[in-house]
Amino acid sequence: METVFRQAEVQRVRLNNGAAFFVLRDDLIHPVVSGNKWRKLKYNIEAILWNRQDTIITFGGAFSNHLAAVAAAGKIFQLKTIGIVRGEEVVNPRIELMRAHGMLLHFISREEYRNKTDQQMQERLVTELIKKGVLSNDDRFVIIPEGGSNSLAVKGAEEINDDIPEEVDEIFCAVGTGATVAGISRRLRSHQRIKAVAVLKGGQFLEKGIAKLGGDLSKIDLLYDFHFGGYAKSTPELDVFCQRFTSETSIPIEPVYTGKCFFAACQYLEKFPQKNILCIHSGGL
Ligand SMILES: *Cc1c(COP(=O)(O)O)cnc(C)c1O
């Protein structure tokens, strides 16, 4: 099942200011189903194939890495994919990428989208998709939540620990829904902790979400001060940091997820230079 996917690898980087740490290159796993998105999809797809289902319905925004990853994975595993997209119909390169991988898109209002986990809303949605001819009556579908973040995703994310060297003390990871850090927290070595960098403003709801996904909050320090204005927002300082990091290490990072995570890690290293840290390059380019 994983022949088109590469193994993640650990690299050691040293910046011009002397900061040195490990980077787990999960972004190298696949060009589109990259980073934590494959970790989260792996067991979901295994279950779908095992159960002889053939269609994935899932949710995301018009710039969603998750939707693009599901579209590409659907193509690889010959599954039909339907993306429910938040907001009015738009076209952008990400949307085009989803369509190029065969994903069928259905746009819903932001109000409707807010109820996406609601059972009745999902039933209405399925009826609408059938009426529209996007879904057919004999499609054997599963609904995967936004970000792919369900219990099978957490199981996949646990495996990130297999690629983390034993000597690492602190693991920095960007947090959207929290499924990735929930998974990592379940199988850490006893001396290791997670620094979970919230990329959304007001991410205080994250603790509840991580606990609900079975994460071990006693191993996780949530960092709320590195959102740089909110989800997908940036500042000149963050943009410059990302450019400088990439030019010094040849590792591409971006301001939505990994830039915020790596920025937090570098600031931490200035205070605690003796710490042995690893940043997860969760993908996202
Ligand atoms: C989706 C994504 C995340 C967030 O993962 P969660 O499991 O939702 O917390 C982090 N980094 C990148 C690059 C992503 O695409």
Side-chain angles (χ1 to χ4, degrees):
M1 148 175 204
E2 286 174 59
T3 47
V4 296
F5 297 101
R6 280 182 58 184
Q7 196 69 33
E9 56 185 77
V10 174
Q11 294 176 352
R12 184 89 184 151
V13 301
R14 178 176 289 279
L15 301 180
N16 293 348
N17 70 3
F21 53 93
F22 293 108
V23 176
L24 177 61
R25 298 292 307 276
D26 260 17
D27 59 311
L28 298 177
I29 290 176
H30 186 274
V32 185
V33 199
S34 82
N36 65 351
K37 297 301 179 277
W38 172 242
R39 303 272 193 184
K40 295 203 281 184
L41 279 172
K42 181 178 154 189
Y43 288 109
N44 276 290
I45 288 181
E46 196 180 271
I48 289 165
L49 299 176
W50 179 257
N51 294 323
R52 301 197 181 287
Q53 290 159 313
D54 53 27
T55 303
I56 299 175
I57 301 174
T58 191
F59 299 84
F63 292 93
S64 166
N65 291 339
H66 165 68
L67 286 183
V70 169
K75 184 148 187 214
I76 294 165
F77 296 103
Q78 300 178 329
L79 300 168
K80 176 169 168 178
T81 57
I82 300 172
I84 310 301
V85 189
R86 180 183 60 231
E88 65 267 34
E89 182 147 4
V90 290
V91 179
N92 63 40
R94 187 63 54 92
I95 291 283
E96 283 170 1
L97 183 68
M98 296 170 199
R99 288 208 166 107
H101 287 102
M103 182 175 254
L104 303 173
L105 300 180
H106 179 69
F107 292 80
I108 62 174
S109 71
R110 280 159 201 280
E111 295 74 55
E112 263 187 290
Y113 192 87
R114 230 168 272 137
N115 301 322
K116 61 192 171 300
T117 57
D118 181 286
Q119 177 91 27
Q120 280 176 340
M121 184 278 184
Q122 291 188 353
E123 281 166 16
R124 250 186 292 123
L125 185 64
V126 165
T127 310
E128 210 174 309
L129 291 173
I130 290 175
K131 212 167 93 192
K132 220 176 128 187
V134 175
L135 190 65
S136 94
N137 273 313
D138 35 71
D139 285 340
R140 292 169 52 90
F141 67 87
V142 288
I143 296 180
I144 293 180
E146 182 180 57
S149 299
N150 55 17
S151 58
L152 290 172
V154 171
K155 180 179 169 191
E158 279 183 38
E159 294 180 352
I160 292 173
N161 289 294
D162 300 340
D163 295 320
I164 297 177
E166 203 170 327
E167 67 257 44
V168 167
D169 305 314
E170 312 261 3
I171 295 146
F172 279 73
C173 183
V175 176
T177 63
T180 305
V181 292
I184 300 169
S185 73
R186 289 162 66 89
R187 233 165 72 191
L188 286 172
R189 296 173 180 91
S190 57
H191 68 281
Q192 294 177 330
R193 290 192 68 76
I194 302 178
K195 301 286 185 197
V197 181
V199 302
L200 293 92
K201 189 149 99 186
Q204 274 74 357
F205 64 89
L206 280 170
E207 270 188 40
K208 254 195 209 144
I210 292 170
K212 216 166 139 190
L213 286 162
D216 181 353
L217 286 172
S218 74
K219 303 281 182 62
I220 302 174
D221 302 315
L222 272 154
L223 308 182
Y224 294 113
D225 297 332
F226 297 95
H227 59 70
F228 292 87
Y231 181 70
K233 297 266 165 49
S234 187
T235 64
E237 186 187 21
L238 181 60
D239 290 339
V240 166
F241 172 81
C242 291
Q243 286 157 16
R244 192 172 294 155
F245 184 89
T246 299
S247 78
E248 289 182 19
T249 62
S250 308
I251 298 173
I253 58 172
E254 43 68 43
V256 182
Y257 289 105
T258 48
K260 291 174 183 178
C261 168
F262 285 44
F263 187 99
C266 286
Q267 202 174 80
Y268 183 79
L269 271 179
E270 275 175 30
K271 271 195 229 150
F272 305 102
Q274 78 289 0
K275 286 275 188 190
N276 213 340
I277 75 168
L278 175 142
C279 291
I280 296 183
H281 195 315
S282 41
L285 292 154

